[in-house]
Amino acid sequence: MTTISAMTFLSRVTGLVRETLKAVLFGAGAQVDAFEAAFRLPNLLRRLFAEGAFSQAFVPVLAEYQRQRGLEATQQLVSKTSGLLMLALLAVSVIGVVAAPWLVYMLAGGFAKTPGKVELTAAMIRIVFPYIFFVSLVSLAGAVLNVYRRFAIPAVTPVLLNLSMIGAAIFLSPYFDPPVLALAWGVALGGFTQLALQLYPLFKLGMLARPNLDFKDEGVRRILKMMGPAILGVSAAQISILINTQLAAWLGDGRISWITYADRLMEFPSALLGVALGTVLLPSLARHHSDADPQRYSELLDWGLRLALLLALPAALALCLLAAPLISTLYQYGRFSIQDVWQTRAALLGYSIGLPALILIKILAPGFYARQDMKTPVRIAIGSIVVTQIVAISLMFRIGHAGLTLATSIGAFCNASLLFYMLRKKGAYAPRSGWWVFLGKIAAALVVFGVTLYFLAGGVELWLYATLWQKVTRLLVVMAGGGAVYFAALWGLGFRLRDFNRREEETTG
């Protein structure tokens, strides 16, 4: 857990550097809207083919093969699965490049109101779409490495995407017209370098098998069967994102950019906590389920939920109280104006409310995937998406783009609550004793933490008109002071680090 968190932290730090540079060089207007829309569809398909339906179906089956059937059978499963995935990805990539102009209207029909915006978006779609081919294979390789408990390489690969985009923005943008096209080429290069990094670790494990097509293979058929309901659930979530992109596009220029800059800040703790925990939990839960050990299965989920809340709640409170200081410190330079700070802050406040729920989903959903139960989380996801879109359409006419992010948070709480309820109902999870005392102590520590942040941060004007180094220094002081007070309060309330240390046994076989 420590290793993957450290690697994920490095990835998110370089991601923030990338976003800061993007804000300085390109601001938050029509051209950045075009890039974000073009990049959104490959990202959505990545979640569908890789991190979403495919990964959720592949990891439990792979864990079972690795645990019970031996090396040769596991190699064959990886070989035949990679062949099928590559064929599907190649077809999708070709379709995306050919259909780019039509995809713009599917993504953001409101772009037609701004001359040249549709054409620019289509050009960048053609550049970034092959990224889905490379990054989905990266996720397949990462799933194999995670099952073998090699978490570091998959966790650090996103750094290469960030570095590619940073390099492209700095060194290539002067040679493009408009310069924002360089970001699209940075994405394409990043996908290739991420895959290249995974190949040697796979070779060392003996899992760099030649792709092979066999639709009749029992393992492949099981994965495809499990992917069916998972695709419905993941597709529902991605359709929700597409709808929000359409709604933001119709609200006018800059809205997609403001939401995206806020999303990057929200993703920092979400990935650091939720993705890291979820990545570690899924193969371990699948192993306990395969071993018919429900007690350890439930204890592992309980541990994940407690650790997630211990860290997610102060992260959400910090995003809420420090929204303007964070945005001003990271983005308010060059072409990113004070108006952009306020608009991005509004979007971030909507996101911050739902951060704990978004992280809990990444803990609770693997509780179903590990049991090879795809239908339950799919039904819950679809219901939550319906709630999200009803709320989004209602709120956008009242509070603009901030209503879209707030609706996402409300939908996340709906999703997490139903996942928790169904895990309890199915008997997969039995909370250990002491939960109410645990939550009470966290609430007390959060009060102290919030008061500390409020007084250390001061007024927003201090941040809007300060120099770079004044902002950075003050932000470091605020965060260090708030963090120290929070953990000191936890220590005073009886929490100890050893209470949350957990090491799963190494996998053999």
Side-chain angles (χ1 to χ4, degrees):
M1 175 62 192
T2 303
T3 300
I4 194 170
S5 293
M7 295 299 100
T8 305
F9 178 77
L10 177 62
S11 168
R12 294 301 154 175
V13 167
T14 54
L16 285 179
V17 173
R18 178 194 81 194
E19 292 303 301
T20 299
L21 185 64
K22 186 173 71 178
V24 172
L25 294 179
F26 309 113
Q31 291 186 4
V32 176
D33 281 356
F35 168 75
E36 297 297 348
F39 191 29
R40 188 149 298 181
L41 192 54
N43 254 337
L44 301 187
L45 291 173
R46 181 202 74 202
R47 292 168 185 168
L48 175 62
F49 280 105
E51 297 168 2
F54 171 76
S55 182
Q56 293 160 11
F58 178 59
V59 169
V61 176
L62 180 66
E64 177 190 316
Y65 269 62
Q66 190 271 340
R67 192 77 169 171
Q68 300 179 1
R69 305 199 187 189
L71 178 61
E72 184 176 351
T74 307
Q75 288 174 328
Q76 288 297 313
L77 179 67
V78 173
S79 171
K80 294 171 182 177
T81 305
S82 62
L84 176 63
L85 185 63
M86 288 179 70
L87 179 64
L89 293 171
L90 184 61
V92 169
S93 297
V94 171
I95 292 171
V97 171
V98 173
W102 294 276
L103 291 177
V104 178
Y105 291 97
M106 185 186 79
L107 285 164
F111 282 6
K113 296 186 294 183
T114 302
K117 200 170 181 180
V118 169
E119 292 76 11
L120 176 60
T121 307
M124 287 195 280
I125 285 177
R126 291 193 175 98
I127 296 169
V128 304
F129 222 86
Y131 168 80
I132 179 62
F133 179 86
F134 293 108
V135 81
S136 295
L137 293 177
V138 166
S139 293
L140 181 145
V144 175
L145 293 172
N146 286 335
V147 166
Y148 280 85
R149 304 191 64 77
R150 307 298 195 270
F151 297 117
I153 293 296
V156 79
T157 49
V159 173
L160 298 181
L161 173 65
N162 296 330
L163 294 178
S164 296
M165 293 180 67
I166 290 169
I170 294 174
F171 299 110
L172 298 183
S173 60
Y175 301 98
F176 286 96
D177 184 22
V180 75
L181 283 168
L183 290 177
W185 285 106
V187 170
L189 177 62
F192 175 79
T193 56
Q194 283 178 294
L195 180 60
L197 182 65
Q198 304 271 30
L199 297 181
Y200 182 67
L202 284 178
F203 174 77
K204 288 182 65 177
L205 284 174
M207 288 293 142
L208 191 61
R210 185 177 66 181
N212 183 23
L213 280 176
D214 185 356
F215 293 99
K216 296 182 179 180
D217 181 78
E218 180 242 347
V220 172
R221 291 173 70 88
R222 284 176 60 194
I223 292 170
L224 289 174
K225 183 178 179 180
M226 292 167 63
M227 277 185 69
I231 284 175
L232 292 176
V234 176
S235 296
Q238 307 319 313
I239 290 171
S240 176
I241 293 173
L242 290 177
I243 293 173
N244 278 350
T245 303
Q246 284 279 14
L247 296 176
W250 283 106
L251 288 172
D253 290 344
R255 270 67 177 183
I256 293 177
S257 301
W258 295 327
I259 290 174
T260 303
Y261 284 123
D263 182 68
R264 296 295 184 264
L265 285 173
M266 185 272 296
E267 280 187 351
F268 190 94
S270 175
L272 195 62
L273 303 177
V275 173
L277 275 170
T279 301
V280 172
L281 283 173
L282 180 54
S284 298
L285 288 170
R287 186 166 62 252
H288 294 324
H289 178 69
S290 178
D291 293 343
D293 191 348
Q295 181 177 349
R296 294 195 67 188
Y297 185 97
S298 180
E299 288 176 352
L300 183 59
L301 265 180
D302 195 271
W303 170 81
L305 291 173
R306 291 186 187 232
L307 184 58
L309 286 174
L310 186 78
L311 301 175
L313 290 172
L317 184 58
L319 280 183
C320 182
L321 295 177
L322 301 179
L326 283 167
I327 295 164
S328 179
T329 302
L330 292 171
Y331 300 146
Q332 192 199 336
Y333 314 100
R335 299 186 64 182
F336 200 92
S337 67
I338 291 178
Q339 169 70 3
D340 293 327
V341 172
W342 287 115
Q343 298 296 341
T344 305
R345 175 182 179 270
L348 183 57
L349 290 177
Y351 274 140
S352 66
I353 295 170
L355 178 63
L358 290 168
I359 291 174
L360 288 178
I361 289 169
K362 298 179 188 300
I363 310 301
L364 294 166
F368 294 93
Y369 305 146
R371 295 161 59 88
Q372 301 183 24
D373 176 3
M374 302 297 172
K375 293 183 179 179
T376 301
V378 164
R379 294 191 185 106
I380 292 172
I382 292 173
S384 301
I385 294 309
V386 172
V387 171
T388 300
Q389 292 311 314
I390 292 173
V391 175
I393 293 172
S394 173
L395 291 179
M396 67 176 284
F397 294 109
R398 301 182 182 182
I399 54 176
H401 65 285
L404 303 180
T405 60
L406 180 56
T408 299
S409 293
I410 293 171
F413 271 108
C414 177
N415 195 333
S417 299
L418 290 172
L419 287 172
F420 179 82
Y421 171 77
M422 291 305 298
L423 278 174
R424 298 278 287 117
K425 183 178 181 180
K426 289 175 177 287
Y429 169 56
R432 300 177 68 183
S433 60
W435 261 99
W436 289 113
V437 174
F438 172 79
L439 292 174
K441 290 181 177 180
I442 290 182
L446 286 174
V447 171
V448 178
F449 176 66
V451 171
T452 302
L453 289 186
Y454 179 80
F455 283 105
L456 287 179
V460 175
E461 291 74 15
L462 294 173
W463 301 88
L464 295 178
Y465 301 102
T467 64
L468 168 63
W469 294 113
Q470 287 174 333
K471 293 178 184 179
V472 171
T473 303
R474 189 178 184 92
L475 186 60
L476 290 175
V477 170
V478 172
M479 294 176 67
V485 167
Y486 178 68
F487 287 107
L490 290 178
W491 189 88
L493 291 166
F495 287 92
R496 297 294 182 268
L497 180 61
R498 63 178 178 272
D499 299 333
F500 294 92
N501 282 337
R502 184 182 184 95
R503 182 176 179 83
E504 292 288 304
E505 76 276 8
E506 291 294 325
T507 303
T508 59

